[in-house]
Coordinates of all heavy atoms in Angstrom, one line a residue:
M28 N -43.7 -105.7 -92.1 CA -43.6 -107.1 -92.4 C -42.3 -107.7 -91.9 O -42.2 -108.9 -91.8 CB -43.8 -107.3 -93.9 CG -43.8 -108.8 -94.3 SD -44.1 -109.4 -96.0 CE -44.6 -108.0 -96.9
E29 N -41.3 -106.9 -91.6 CA -40.0 -107.5 -91.3 C -40.0 -108.3 -90.0 O -39.2 -109.2 -89.8 CB -39.0 -106.3 -91.1 CG -38.6 -105.7 -92.4 CD -37.5 -104.6 -92.3 OE1 -36.9 -104.6 -91.2 OE2 -37.4 -103.9 -93.2
E30 N -41.0 -108.0 -89.1 CA -41.0 -108.7 -87.8 C -41.4 -110.2 -88.0 O -41.1 -111.0 -87.1 CB -41.8 -108.0 -86.8 CG -43.3 -108.0 -87.1 CD -44.1 -107.3 -86.0 OE1 -43.5 -106.7 -85.1 OE2 -45.3 -107.4 -86.0
I31 N -42.0 -110.5 -89.1 CA -42.4 -111.9 -89.2 C -41.4 -112.7 -90.1 O -41.6 -113.9 -90.3 CB -43.8 -112.1 -89.8 CG1 -43.9 -111.5 -91.2 CG2 -44.9 -111.4 -88.9 CD1 -45.2 -111.8 -91.9
L32 N -40.4 -112.0 -90.7 CA -39.5 -112.7 -91.5 C -38.3 -113.2 -90.7 O -37.9 -112.7 -89.7 CB -38.9 -111.7 -92.6 CG -40.0 -111.1 -93.6 CD1 -39.3 -110.1 -94.5 CD2 -40.6 -112.2 -94.3
R33 N -37.7 -114.3 -91.3 CA -36.6 -114.9 -90.7 C -35.4 -113.9 -90.7 O -35.3 -113.2 -91.7 CB -36.2 -116.2 -91.4 CG -35.1 -117.0 -90.8 CD -35.0 -118.3 -91.5 NE -36.2 -119.1 -91.4 CZ -36.6 -119.9 -90.4 NH1 -35.8 -119.9 -89.3 NH2 -37.7 -120.6 -90.4
H34 N -34.6 -113.9 -89.7 CA -33.4 -113.0 -89.6 C -32.4 -113.5 -90.6 O -32.0 -114.7 -90.6 CB -32.9 -113.0 -88.2 CG -33.8 -112.4 -87.2 ND1 -34.0 -111.0 -87.2 CD2 -34.6 -112.9 -86.3 CE1 -34.9 -110.8 -86.2 NE2 -35.2 -111.9 -85.7
P35 N -31.9 -112.6 -91.5 CA -30.9 -113.1 -92.5 C -29.6 -113.8 -91.8 O -29.1 -114.7 -92.4 CB -30.5 -111.8 -93.2 CG -31.6 -110.9 -92.9 CD -32.2 -111.2 -91.6
N36 N -29.2 -113.3 -90.7 CA -28.0 -113.9 -90.1 C -28.3 -115.3 -89.6 O -27.3 -116.0 -89.2 CB -27.4 -113.0 -88.9 CG -28.4 -112.8 -87.8 OD1 -29.6 -113.0 -88.0 ND2 -27.9 -112.2 -86.7
R37 N -29.5 -115.8 -89.5 CA -29.9 -117.1 -89.1 C -30.4 -118.0 -90.3 O -31.0 -119.0 -90.1 CB -31.0 -117.1 -88.0 CG -30.6 -116.4 -86.8 CD -31.7 -116.4 -85.8 NE -31.4 -115.6 -84.7 CZ -32.2 -115.0 -83.9 NH1 -33.5 -115.3 -84.1 NH2 -31.9 -114.2 -82.9
A38 N -30.1 -117.5 -91.5 CA -30.7 -118.1 -92.7 C -29.6 -118.7 -93.6 O -28.4 -118.2 -93.5 CB -31.5 -117.1 -93.4
T39 N -30.0 -119.6 -94.4 CA -29.0 -120.1 -95.4 C -28.8 -119.0 -96.5 O -29.6 -118.1 -96.6 CB -29.6 -121.4 -96.1 OG1 -30.8 -121.0 -96.8 CG2 -29.9 -122.4 -95.1
L40 N -27.8 -119.3 -97.3 CA -27.5 -118.3 -98.4 C -28.7 -118.2 -99.4 O -29.1 -117.1 -99.8 CB -26.3 -118.8 -99.2 CG -25.8 -117.9 -100.3 CD1 -25.5 -116.5 -99.9 CD2 -24.6 -118.5 -101.0
E41 N -29.3 -119.3 -99.7 CA -30.5 -119.3 -100.6 C -31.7 -118.5 -100.0 O -32.3 -117.7 -100.7 CB -31.0 -120.7 -100.9 CG -32.2 -120.8 -101.8 CD -32.6 -122.2 -102.1 OE1 -31.8 -123.2 -101.9 OE2 -33.8 -122.4 -102.5
T42 N -31.9 -118.7 -98.7 CA -32.9 -117.9 -98.0 C -32.6 -116.4 -98.0 O -33.5 -115.6 -98.2 CB -33.1 -118.5 -96.6 OG1 -33.5 -119.9 -96.7 CG2 -34.2 -117.7 -95.8
R43 N -31.4 -116.1 -97.8 CA -31.0 -114.7 -97.8 C -31.2 -114.0 -99.1 O -31.7 -112.9 -99.2 CB -29.5 -114.5 -97.4 CG -29.2 -114.7 -96.0 CD -27.8 -114.4 -95.6 NE -27.3 -115.4 -94.7 CZ -26.2 -115.9 -94.7 NH1 -25.2 -115.5 -95.5 NH2 -25.9 -116.9 -93.8
K44 N -31.0 -114.8 -100.2 CA -31.2 -114.3 -101.5 C -32.7 -114.0 -101.7 O -33.1 -113.0 -102.3 CB -30.7 -115.2 -102.6 CG -29.2 -115.3 -102.7 CD -28.7 -116.3 -103.7 CE -27.2 -116.4 -103.8 NZ -26.8 -117.4 -104.8
K45 N -33.5 -114.9 -101.2 CA -35.0 -114.8 -101.4 C -35.5 -113.6 -100.5 O -36.4 -112.8 -101.0 CB -35.7 -116.0 -100.9 CG -35.5 -117.2 -101.9 CD -36.3 -118.4 -101.4 CE -36.1 -119.6 -102.4 NZ -36.8 -120.8 -101.9
L46 N -34.9 -113.3 -99.4 CA -35.2 -112.2 -98.5 C -34.9 -110.9 -99.2 O -35.7 -109.9 -99.1 CB -34.5 -112.3 -97.2 CG -35.1 -113.3 -96.2 CD1 -34.1 -113.5 -95.0 CD2 -36.5 -113.0 -95.7
V47 N -33.8 -110.8 -100.0 CA -33.4 -109.7 -100.7 C -34.4 -109.4 -101.8 O -34.9 -108.3 -102.1 CB -32.0 -109.8 -101.3 CG1 -31.7 -108.7 -102.3 CG2 -31.0 -109.8 -100.1
L48 N -34.8 -110.5 -102.5 CA -35.8 -110.3 -103.6 C -37.1 -109.8 -103.0 O -37.8 -109.0 -103.6 CB -36.1 -111.7 -104.3 CG -35.0 -112.2 -105.2 CD1 -35.4 -113.7 -105.6 CD2 -34.9 -111.4 -106.4
L49 N -37.5 -110.3 -101.9 CA -38.8 -109.9 -101.2 C -38.8 -108.4 -100.9 O -39.9 -107.8 -101.0 CB -39.0 -110.8 -100.0 CG -40.2 -110.6 -99.2 CD1 -41.5 -110.9 -100.0 CD2 -40.2 -111.4 -97.9
Q50 N -37.7 -107.8 -100.5 CA -37.6 -106.4 -100.2 C -38.1 -105.5 -101.3 O -38.6 -104.4 -101.0 CB -36.2 -106.0 -99.8 CG -35.8 -106.6 -98.4 CD -34.4 -106.3 -98.1 OE1 -33.6 -105.7 -98.9 NE2 -34.0 -106.6 -96.9
D51 N -37.9 -105.9 -102.5 CA -38.2 -105.0 -103.7 C -39.6 -105.3 -104.2 O -40.0 -104.7 -105.2 CB -37.2 -105.3 -104.8 CG -35.8 -104.8 -104.4 OD1 -35.7 -103.9 -103.6 OD2 -34.8 -105.4 -104.9
M52 N -40.4 -106.1 -103.6 CA -41.7 -106.5 -104.1 C -42.8 -105.6 -103.5 O -42.6 -105.1 -102.4 CB -42.0 -107.9 -103.8 CG -41.2 -108.9 -104.5 SD -41.7 -110.6 -104.1 CE -40.4 -111.5 -104.9
H53 N -43.9 -105.4 -104.2 CA -45.1 -104.7 -103.7 C -45.7 -105.7 -102.7 O -45.5 -106.9 -102.7 CB -46.0 -104.4 -104.8 CG -45.5 -103.3 -105.7 ND1 -45.4 -102.0 -105.4 CD2 -45.0 -103.4 -107.0 CE1 -44.9 -101.3 -106.4 NE2 -44.7 -102.2 -107.4
L54 N -46.6 -105.2 -101.9 CA -47.2 -106.0 -100.8 C -47.9 -107.3 -101.4 O -47.7 -108.4 -100.9 CB -48.2 -105.2 -100.0 CG -48.9 -105.9 -98.9 CD1 -47.9 -106.4 -97.8 CD2 -49.9 -105.0 -98.2
S55 N -48.7 -107.1 -102.4 CA -49.4 -108.3 -102.9 C -48.5 -109.3 -103.5 O -48.7 -110.5 -103.3 CB -50.5 -107.9 -104.0 OG -49.9 -107.2 -105.0
E56 N -47.4 -108.9 -104.2 CA -46.4 -109.8 -104.7 C -45.7 -110.5 -103.6 O -45.4 -111.7 -103.6 CB -45.3 -109.0 -105.5 CG -45.8 -108.5 -106.9 CD -44.6 -107.7 -107.5 OE1 -44.1 -106.8 -106.9 OE2 -44.2 -108.1 -108.6
G57 N -45.4 -109.7 -102.5 CA -44.7 -110.3 -101.4 C -45.5 -111.4 -100.7 O -44.9 -112.4 -100.3
I58 N -46.7 -111.1 -100.5 CA -47.6 -112.1 -99.9 C -47.6 -113.4 -100.7 O -47.5 -114.5 -100.2 CB -49.0 -111.6 -99.7 CG1 -49.0 -110.5 -98.6 CG2 -50.0 -112.7 -99.3 CD1 -50.2 -109.7 -98.4
D59 N -47.8 -113.3 -102.0 CA -47.8 -114.5 -102.9 C -46.4 -115.2 -102.8 O -46.4 -116.4 -102.7 CB -48.1 -114.1 -104.3 CG -49.5 -113.7 -104.6 OD1 -50.4 -114.0 -103.8 OD2 -49.7 -113.0 -105.6
F60 N -45.3 -114.4 -102.8 CA -44.0 -115.0 -102.6 C -43.8 -115.7 -101.3 O -43.3 -116.8 -101.3 CB -43.0 -113.9 -102.8 CG -41.5 -114.3 -102.9 CD1 -41.1 -114.9 -104.1 CD2 -40.6 -114.2 -101.9 CE1 -39.8 -115.3 -104.3 CE2 -39.3 -114.6 -102.1 CZ -38.9 -115.2 -103.3
L61 N -44.3 -115.2 -100.2 CA -44.3 -115.8 -98.9 C -45.1 -117.1 -98.9 O -44.7 -118.1 -98.3 CB -44.7 -114.9 -97.8 CG -43.7 -113.8 -97.5 CD1 -44.3 -112.8 -96.5 CD2 -42.4 -114.4 -96.9
L62 N -46.2 -117.1 -99.6 CA -47.1 -118.3 -99.7 C -46.3 -119.4 -100.4 O -46.4 -120.6 -100.0 CB -48.4 -118.0 -100.4 CG -49.4 -117.2 -99.6 CD1 -50.6 -116.8 -100.5 CD2 -49.8 -117.9 -98.3
D63 N -45.5 -119.1 -101.4 CA -44.7 -120.1 -102.1 C -43.4 -120.4 -101.4 O -42.8 -121.4 -101.7 CB -44.4 -119.5 -103.5 CG -45.6 -119.4 -104.4 OD1 -46.6 -120.2 -104.1 OD2 -45.6 -118.6 -105.3
N64 N -43.0 -119.5 -100.4 CA -41.7 -119.7 -99.7 C -41.9 -119.5 -98.2 O -41.3 -118.6 -97.6 CB -40.6 -118.7 -100.3 CG -40.4 -118.9 -101.7 OD1 -39.6 -119.8 -102.1 ND2 -41.0 -118.1 -102.6
P65 N -42.6 -120.4 -97.6 CA -42.9 -120.2 -96.1 C -41.7 -120.3 -95.2 O -41.7 -119.8 -94.1 CB -43.9 -121.3 -95.8 CG -43.7 -122.3 -96.8 CD -43.3 -121.6 -98.1
E66 N -40.6 -120.8 -95.7 CA -39.4 -120.9 -95.0 C -38.8 -119.5 -94.7 O -37.9 -119.4 -93.8 CB -38.3 -121.8 -95.7 CG -37.7 -121.2 -96.9 CD -38.5 -121.4 -98.2 OE1 -39.6 -121.9 -98.1 OE2 -38.0 -121.0 -99.2
L67 N -39.3 -118.5 -95.3 CA -38.8 -117.1 -95.1 C -39.4 -116.5 -93.8 O -39.0 -115.5 -93.3 CB -39.2 -116.2 -96.3 CG -38.5 -116.6 -97.6 CD1 -39.0 -115.7 -98.7 CD2 -37.0 -116.7 -97.5
L68 N -40.5 -117.2 -93.3 CA -41.1 -116.7 -92.1 C -40.5 -117.3 -90.8 O -40.1 -118.4 -90.8 CB -42.6 -117.1 -92.1 CG -43.4 -116.5 -93.2 CD1 -44.8 -117.2 -93.3 CD2 -43.6 -115.0 -93.1
Q69 N -40.5 -116.5 -89.8 CA -40.1 -117.0 -88.5 C -41.1 -117.9 -88.0 O -42.3 -117.8 -88.4 CB -40.0 -115.8 -87.5 CG -38.8 -114.9 -87.7 CD -38.6 -114.1 -86.4 OE1 -38.5 -114.6 -85.3 NE2 -38.6 -112.8 -86.6
S70 N -40.8 -118.9 -87.2 CA -41.8 -119.8 -86.6 C -41.4 -120.0 -85.2 O -40.3 -120.0 -84.8 CB -41.8 -121.1 -87.4 OG -40.6 -121.8 -87.2
P71 N -42.4 -120.3 -84.4 CA -43.8 -120.3 -84.7 C -44.4 -118.9 -84.7 O -43.8 -118.0 -84.1 CB -44.4 -121.2 -83.6 CG -43.6 -120.9 -82.4 CD -42.2 -120.7 -83.0
I72 N -45.5 -118.7 -85.3 CA -46.3 -117.5 -85.1 C -47.5 -117.9 -84.3 O -48.3 -118.8 -84.7 CB -46.7 -117.0 -86.5 CG1 -45.5 -116.6 -87.3 CG2 -47.7 -115.8 -86.3 CD1 -45.8 -116.2 -88.7
V73 N -47.7 -117.4 -83.1 CA -48.8 -117.7 -82.2 C -49.7 -116.5 -82.2 O -49.3 -115.4 -81.9 CB -48.3 -118.0 -80.8 CG1 -49.4 -118.4 -79.9 CG2 -47.2 -119.1 -80.9
I74 N -51.0 -116.7 -82.5 CA -52.0 -115.7 -82.6 C -53.1 -115.9 -81.5 O -53.7 -117.0 -81.6 CB -52.6 -115.6 -84.0 CG1 -51.5 -115.4 -85.0 CG2 -53.6 -114.4 -84.0 CD1 -51.9 -115.5 -86.4
G75 N -53.2 -115.0 -80.6 CA -54.3 -115.0 -79.7 C -55.4 -114.0 -80.1 O -55.3 -113.4 -81.1
T76 N -56.4 -113.8 -79.3 CA -57.5 -112.9 -79.6 C -56.9 -111.4 -79.7 O -57.2 -110.7 -80.7 CB -58.6 -112.9 -78.6 OG1 -59.1 -114.3 -78.6 CG2 -59.7 -112.0 -79.0
N77 N -56.2 -111.0 -78.7 CA -55.6 -109.6 -78.7 C -54.1 -109.6 -78.7 O -53.6 -108.5 -78.5 CB -56.2 -108.9 -77.5 CG -57.7 -108.7 -77.6 OD1 -58.2 -108.5 -78.6 ND2 -58.4 -108.8 -76.4
K78 N -53.5 -110.7 -78.7 CA -52.0 -110.8 -78.6 C -51.5 -111.7 -79.7 O -52.1 -112.6 -80.2 CB -51.6 -111.3 -77.3 CG -52.0 -110.5 -76.1 CD -51.6 -111.1 -74.8 CE -52.0 -110.3 -73.6 NZ -51.3 -110.6 -72.4
Y79 N -50.2 -111.5 -80.0 CA -49.5 -112.4 -80.9 C -48.0 -112.4 -80.5 O -47.5 -111.5 -79.9 CB -49.7 -112.0 -82.4 CG -48.9 -110.7 -82.7 CD1 -47.7 -110.7 -83.2 CD2 -49.5 -109.5 -82.6 CE1 -47.0 -109.6 -83.6 CE2 -48.9 -108.3 -82.9 CZ -47.6 -108.4 -83.4 OH -46.9 -107.2 -83.7
M80 N -47.4 -113.5 -80.9 CA -45.9 -113.6 -80.7 C -45.4 -114.3 -81.9 O -46.0 -115.1 -82.6 CB -45.6 -114.5 -79.5 CG -45.9 -113.8 -78.2 SD -45.4 -114.8 -76.8 CE -46.3 -116.3 -77.1
I81 N -44.1 -113.8 -82.3 CA -43.5 -114.4 -83.4 C -42.1 -114.8 -83.0 O -41.4 -114.1 -82.3 CB -43.4 -113.3 -84.5 CG1 -44.7 -112.9 -84.9 CG2 -42.5 -113.8 -85.7 CD1 -44.8 -111.6 -85.8
G82 N -41.7 -116.0 -83.4 CA -40.4 -116.6 -83.0 C -40.6 -117.4 -81.8 O -41.7 -117.5 -81.2
F83 N -39.5 -118.1 -81.4 CA -39.6 -119.0 -80.3 C -39.0 -118.4 -79.0 O -37.9 -118.2 -78.9 CB -38.9 -120.4 -80.6 CG -39.1 -121.4 -79.6 CD1 -40.3 -122.1 -79.5 CD2 -38.1 -121.7 -78.7 CE1 -40.5 -123.0 -78.5 CE2 -38.3 -122.6 -77.7 CZ -39.5 -123.3 -77.6
N84 N -39.9 -118.2 -78.1 CA -39.5 -117.9 -76.7 C -40.4 -118.7 -75.8 O -41.6 -118.3 -75.6 CB -39.7 -116.4 -76.4 CG -39.2 -116.0 -75.1 OD1 -39.4 -116.7 -74.1 ND2 -38.6 -114.8 -74.9
A85 N -39.9 -119.8 -75.3 CA -40.7 -120.8 -74.6 C -41.5 -120.1 -73.5 O -42.7 -120.4 -73.3 CB -39.9 -121.9 -74.1
E86 N -40.9 -119.3 -72.7 CA -41.6 -118.7 -71.5 C -42.8 -117.8 -72.0 O -43.9 -117.9 -71.4 CB -40.6 -117.9 -70.7 CG -41.3 -117.3 -69.4 CD -41.9 -118.4 -68.5 OE1 -41.4 -119.5 -68.4 OE2 -42.9 -118.0 -67.8
D87 N -42.5 -117.0 -73.0 CA -43.6 -116.1 -73.5 C -44.8 -116.9 -74.1 O -45.9 -116.6 -73.9 CB -43.1 -115.2 -74.6 CG -42.2 -114.1 -74.0 OD1 -42.2 -113.9 -72.8 OD2 -41.5 -113.4 -74.8
I88 N -44.5 -118.0 -74.8 CA -45.5 -118.9 -75.3 C -46.3 -119.5 -74.2 O -47.5 -119.6 -74.2 CB -44.9 -119.9 -76.3 CG1 -44.4 -119.2 -77.5 CG2 -46.0 -121.0 -76.6 CD1 -43.7 -120.1 -78.5
R89 N -45.6 -120.0 -73.1 CA -46.4 -120.5 -72.0 C -47.3 -119.5 -71.3 O -48.4 -119.8 -71.0 CB -45.4 -121.1 -70.9 CG -44.9 -122.5 -71.2 CD -44.2 -123.1 -70.0 NE -42.9 -122.4 -69.8 CZ -41.8 -122.8 -70.4 NH1 -41.8 -123.8 -71.3 NH2 -40.7 -122.2 -70.1
Q90 N -46.8 -118.3 -71.2 CA -47.6 -117.2 -70.6 C -48.8 -116.9 -71.4 O -49.9 -116.8 -70.9 CB -46.8 -116.0 -70.4 CG -45.8 -116.1 -69.2 CD -45.0 -114.8 -69.1 OE1 -45.1 -113.9 -69.8 NE2 -44.0 -114.9 -68.1
L91 N -48.6 -116.8 -72.8 CA -49.8 -116.5 -73.6 C -50.8 -117.7 -73.6 O -52.0 -117.5 -73.5 CB -49.3 -116.3 -75.1 CG -50.4 -116.1 -76.1 CD1 -51.2 -114.8 -75.8 CD2 -49.9 -116.0 -77.5
Y92 N -50.3 -118.9 -73.6 CA -51.1 -120.1 -73.6 C -51.9 -120.1 -72.3 O -53.2 -120.3 -72.3 CB -50.3 -121.4 -73.8 CG -51.1 -122.6 -73.9 CD1 -51.9 -122.9 -75.0 CD2 -51.2 -123.5 -72.8 CE1 -52.7 -124.0 -75.1 CE2 -51.9 -124.6 -72.9 CZ -52.7 -124.9 -74.0 OH -53.5 -126.0 -74.1
S93 N -51.3 -119.9 -71.2 CA -52.0 -119.8 -69.9 C -53.0 -118.8 -69.9 O -54.1 -119.0 -69.4 CB -51.0 -119.6 -68.8 OG -50.1 -120.7 -68.7
F94 N -52.7 -117.6 -70.4 CA -53.6 -116.5 -70.4 C -54.9 -116.9 -71.3 O -56.0 -116.6 -70.9 CB -53.0 -115.2 -71.1 CG -53.9 -114.1 -71.3 CD1 -54.3 -113.2 -70.3 CD2 -54.4 -113.9 -72.6 CE1 -55.1 -112.2 -70.5 CE2 -55.3 -112.8 -72.8 CZ -55.6 -112.0 -71.8
C95 N -54.6 -117.5 -72.4 CA -55.8 -117.9 -73.3 C -56.6 -119.0 -72.6 O -57.8 -118.9 -72.8 CB -55.2 -118.4 -74.6 SG -54.5 -117.0 -75.6
I96 N -56.0 -119.9 -71.9 CA -56.8 -120.9 -71.2 C -57.6 -120.3 -70.1 O -58.8 -120.6 -70.0 CB -55.8 -122.1 -70.7 CG1 -55.1 -122.8 -71.8 CG2 -56.6 -123.0 -69.8 CD1 -56.0 -123.5 -72.8
Y97 N -57.0 -119.4 -69.4 CA -57.7 -118.8 -68.3 C -58.9 -118.0 -68.8 O -59.9 -118.0 -68.2 CB -56.7 -117.8 -67.5 CG -57.3 -117.0 -66.4 CD1 -57.7 -117.6 -65.2 CD2 -57.6 -115.6 -66.6 CE1 -58.3 -116.8 -64.2 CE2 -58.2 -114.9 -65.7 CZ -58.5 -115.4 -64.5 OH -59.1 -114.7 -63.5
R98 N -58.7 -117.3 -69.9 CA -59.7 -116.4 -70.5 C -60.7 -117.2 -71.4 O -61.6 -116.7 -71.9 CB -59.2 -115.3 -71.3 CG -58.3 -114.3 -70.5 CD -59.2 -113.4 -69.8 NE -58.4 -112.4 -69.1 CZ -58.8 -111.2 -68.9 NH1 -59.9 -110.8 -69.3 NH2 -58.0 -110.4 -68.2
K99 N -60.3 -118.5 -71.6 CA -61.1 -119.4 -72.4 C -61.3 -118.8 -73.8 O -62.3 -118.8 -74.4 CB -62.5 -119.7 -71.8 CG -62.4 -120.4 -70.5 CD -63.8 -120.7 -69.9 CE -63.5 -121.4 -68.6 NZ -64.8 -121.7 -67.9
I100 N -60.1 -118.4 -74.4 CA -60.1 -117.9 -75.7 C -59.2 -118.7 -76.5 O -58.3 -119.4 -76.0 CB -59.7 -116.4 -75.8 CG1 -58.3 -116.2 -75.1 CG2 -60.7 -115.5 -75.2 CD1 -57.8 -114.7 -75.2
G101 N -59.4 -118.8 -77.8 CA -58.6 -119.6 -78.7 C -57.3 -119.0 -79.1 O -57.2 -117.8 -79.1
I102 N -56.3 -119.8 -79.4 CA -55.1 -119.4 -80.0 C -54.9 -120.2 -81.3 O -55.4 -121.3 -81.4 CB -53.9 -119.4 -79.1 CG1 -53.6 -120.9 -78.7 CG2 -54.0 -118.5 -77.9 CD1 -52.3 -121.0 -77.9
T103 N -54.1 -119.6 -82.2 CA -53.7 -120.3 -83.4 C -52.2 -120.3 -83.5 O -51.6 -119.3 -83.3 CB -54.3 -119.6 -84.7 OG1 -55.7 -119.6 -84.5 CG2 -53.9 -120.4 -85.9
I104 N -51.6 -121.5 -83.7 CA -50.2 -121.6 -83.9 C -49.9 -122.0 -85.3 O -50.4 -123.0 -85.8 CB -49.6 -122.7 -82.9 CG1 -49.9 -122.3 -81.4 CG2 -48.1 -122.8 -83.1 CD1 -49.5 -123.3 -80.4
I105 N -49.1 -121.2 -85.9 CA -48.7 -121.4 -87.3 C -47.2 -121.8 -87.3 O -46.4 -121.0 -86.9 CB -48.9 -120.1 -88.2 CG1 -50.3 -119.7 -88.1 CG2 -48.5 -120.4 -89.6 CD1 -50.6 -118.3 -88.6
M106 N -46.9 -123.0 -87.7 CA -45.5 -123.5 -87.7 C -45.0 -123.4 -89.1 O -45.6 -123.6 -90.1 CB -45.4 -124.9 -87.2 CG -45.9 -125.0 -85.8 SD -44.9 -124.2 -84.6 CE -43.7 -125.5 -84.3

């Protein structure tokens, strides 16, 4: 789950405290906590049919988008 979480060194003190709390939670608790605290997630999360990207890398997002358009498959962007 760490790859979808905001990096602590790029977060506010309050967000860092929440990330520490999240580490000690069971999976189901953590998911509920993330639903209540979406600021803990990196953004955007881009989901294609067989690929996904987390975080902002403009070139990678353009490549994935072009691939999805070429293959006529959908993508979902979660901000």
Side-chain angles (χ1 to χ4, degrees):
M28 185 176 349
E29 288 183 17
E30 68 180 9
I31 66 170
L32 297 177
R33 187 170 299 278
H34 295 285
N36 59 347
R37 297 182 191 157
T39 64
L40 180 59
E41 181 180 337
T42 300
R43 282 187 225 145
K44 289 178 183 178
K45 289 179 181 180
L46 288 168
V47 170
L48 287 172
L49 183 63
Q50 290 177 350
D51 296 329
M52 294 181 187
H53 294 287
L54 181 61
S55 59
E56 287 178 302
I58 291 171
D59 289 338
F60 191 73
L61 287 172
L62 289 171
D63 292 335
N64 299 280
E66 71 276 5
L67 300 179
L68 296 171
Q69 289 194 53
S70 66
I72 298 174
V73 180
I74 303 169
T76 303
N77 295 323
K78 299 180 180 195
Y79 69 93
M80 285 186 304
I81 299 167
F83 185 76
N84 181 324
E86 184 58 31
D87 289 344
I88 291 173
R89 274 193 291 276
Q90 287 178 1
L91 177 63
Y92 184 73
S93 296
F94 173 80
C95 291
I96 296 299
Y97 175 73
R98 297 282 182 145
K99 296 181 181 176
I100 55 178
I102 61 172
T103 303
I104 301 175
I105 302 168
M106 299 293 272

